[in-house]
Amino acid sequence: MNLTVSASPHIRGRDTISRIMLDVVIALLPALAAGLLFQGPRAGLVAAVCVLSALAGEGLLRLILRQHSTLSDGSALVTGLLLALTLPASVPYYVAAAGGLFAVVVVKGLCGGLGQNAFNPALGARAFLMLLFPACLTRFPALGTALPLGELSPADVVTGATPLHHMQMPALPDASLLDLFLGRAAGCVGEVSALALLIGGGWLVFRRVISLRIPAAYLGTVAVLSLVFAKGDSPVLWMAYSLLSGGVLLGAIFMATDYATSPVGPAAQVVYGVGCGALTVLFRYTGLFPEGVTYAILLMNAAVWLLDRYLIPRRYGERKEAAQ
């Protein structure tokens, strides 16, 4: 028998990549179910296309590189599902397929595979699609619109303004806070229901897949800055709508907490979350598009190595030198 001894420390645990990915999939199901409920079955087909293209890209890349298959770890499944939740239900199927392939082949695969990617694959793919197909990603079907299932690219879609479009005017959205909390508003498949996202986030915290440091720092920063720089007569309402509108909750809970693209140390995680929140508000207030979550998280992904280098936790047994 060959015994391989790796470098210490030697820690045994029950966590595996496939178990963690299964927990993430379970946590995403409420948001997907809300998308199906409020946006119709086409939302499910868009999710299926994203997932299948991500799985196909993962398998094809491993085949070309002559490496063992990694489909069983579930990472490609999670990437495809996350990408689908960031897209409108009316997006053409070929756009969704292109996004799934780009996420796993370019953003993740060409960087070395799982754990080696510098940027969140789903958000990297969304930024890529936003560059090539901006009209497809900024047109959202109005609530209650019956989208055709068979058409690759539905041409005659009744579009509706999202809450963030109203806030860019600036004005408070027509939808109530309860509507945003439950999901009765226009938007991407996975961002419309704050309740569904919070249920999923609660599952991840309960299963200890994520900690509250990054989401709390992210959402807390958005809340404070939206309150301080509120537009209109009601700063508290403006803050509440800022938190419930767009992809803030989806980004804070599921995107910013990605293991491979977020810091390791506790202090670095807090600074990372604060940076994501500050950049989100900045882009929302000054950018061309009302949403800023994608680019905020991607930019902070690029700074993770710096945060991990300079905000490392104190080593066990190390004492701070007394002042002279």
Side-chain angles (χ1 to χ4, degrees), residues 43-274:
L45 290 180
V46 169
V49 171
C50 288
V51 169
L52 290 176
S53 62
L55 293 174
E58 181 85 2
L60 182 61
L61 182 63
R62 297 304 160 196
L63 184 63
I64 293 174
L65 297 178
R66 297 183 179 181
Q67 298 175 348
H68 69 278
S69 175
T70 55
L71 292 176
S72 60
D73 64 21
S75 61
L77 170 63
V78 169
T79 297
L81 190 53
L82 282 172
L83 173 62
L85 296 182
T86 68
L87 301 177
S90 58
V91 71
Y93 295 136
Y94 65 85
V95 173
L101 289 172
F102 186 85
V104 298
V105 174
V106 178
V107 184
K108 187 180 77 169
L110 295 185
C111 292
L114 182 65
Q116 304 298 318
N117 48 290
F119 299 97
N120 182 284
L123 291 183
R126 190 183 191 280
F128 169 73
L129 296 179
M130 194 70 175
L131 179 65
L132 296 183
F133 312 101
C136 296
L137 269 66
T138 54
R139 296 175 68 237
F140 302 93
L143 194 63
T145 302
L147 297 173
L149 301 181
E151 296 184 19
L152 296 179
S153 178
D156 299 325
V157 176
V158 179
T159 59
T162 66
L164 282 181
H165 280 92
H166 285 282
M167 298 180 73
Q168 199 178 34
M169 292 182 185
L172 291 177
D174 295 332
S176 67
L177 290 175
L178 180 60
D179 289 336
L180 297 184
F181 186 72
L182 297 178
R184 295 192 294 259
C188 294
V189 172
E191 70 181 23
V192 294
S193 175
L195 175 61
L197 292 170
L198 290 174
I199 291 174
W203 173 258
L204 293 181
V205 173
F206 171 73
R207 295 286 291 173
R208 297 184 179 180
V209 175
I210 66 171
S211 72
L212 286 174
R213 281 188 288 268
I214 293 176
Y218 193 151
L219 297 175
T221 302
V222 172
V224 170
L225 293 179
S226 299
L227 183 65
V228 173
F229 300 103
K231 300 177 182 179
D233 299 329
S234 180
V236 175
L237 274 180
W238 184 268
M239 176 192 69
Y241 276 108
S242 297
L243 289 173
L244 297 180
S245 301
V248 170
L249 286 174
L250 179 63
I253 297 171
F254 293 100
M255 303 295 190
T257 55
D258 176 32
Y259 285 177
T261 58
S262 61
V264 176
Q269 290 178 348
V270 173
V271 174
Y272 172 78
V274 171

